[in-house]
Amino acid sequence: MKKPTILVAEDDSSIRKLIYNLLKDNYEVLLTADGLEAKECYERHAERIEAVITDVQMPGLNGAQLAEWLRQRGRPVTIILMSGDTGEIEVEHLLRQERVTRLH
């Protein structure tokens, strides 16, 4: 049986590894180190990605920007924003959208 696919965007390699180890038994996990890399990966594998887990604070394209870009693609995908602190990045408008949630 084919595993569901989750795309992970996280700039901290130790957290990426932790997420991978937590999910690998039940999901196919695509790891990316930032939002730009996640966009490229999503464009290559969009048809099979069911969920995206993204850190909110990342260099370049942050998690909120990635989530907004994903929402505009038109294909429904669950987006999980995670962060200990979102700092100056506004995510409240995203959380009002269907299929978007936040982990602290």
Side-chain angles (χ1 to χ4, degrees):
M1 187 169 144
K2 187 176 177 187
K3 295 179 184 178
T5 301
I6 295 179
L7 171 61
V8 177
E10 170 58 61
D11 60 323
D12 184 314
S13 62
S14 62
I15 294 175
R16 268 196 320 272
K17 183 177 180 179
L18 173 65
I19 293 169
Y20 176 79
N21 287 330
L22 290 170
L23 298 176
K24 69 181 178 178
D25 292 339
N26 297 308
Y27 300 93
E28 178 182 355
V29 183
L30 304 174
L31 297 176
T32 61
D34 59 44
L36 293 174
E37 192 177 313
K39 276 178 66 172
E40 292 171 6
C41 184
Y42 184 84
E43 288 176 334
R44 286 191 311 273
H45 305 286
E47 71 284 346
R48 57 184 235 231
I49 295 172
E50 295 184 26
V52 176
I53 299 173
T54 180
D55 187 8
V56 173
Q57 293 216 44
M58 293 184 291
L61 187 72
N62 67 47
Q65 293 165 328
L66 174 61
E68 189 62 42
W69 180 85
L70 288 164
R71 278 189 347 89
Q72 293 173 5
R73 301 287 62 83
R75 185 180 169 278
V77 62
T78 298
I79 302 167
I80 301 168
L81 301 169
M82 63 177 184
S83 186
D85 177 22
T86 60
E88 299 294 316
I89 300 170
E90 177 60 47
V91 296
E92 296 306 317
H93 71 286
L94 289 170
L95 296 172
R96 290 189 289 275
Q97 306 299 320
E98 185 176 332
R99 301 178 70 103
V100 177
T101 190
R102 173 175 41 185
L103 295 177
H104 293 279

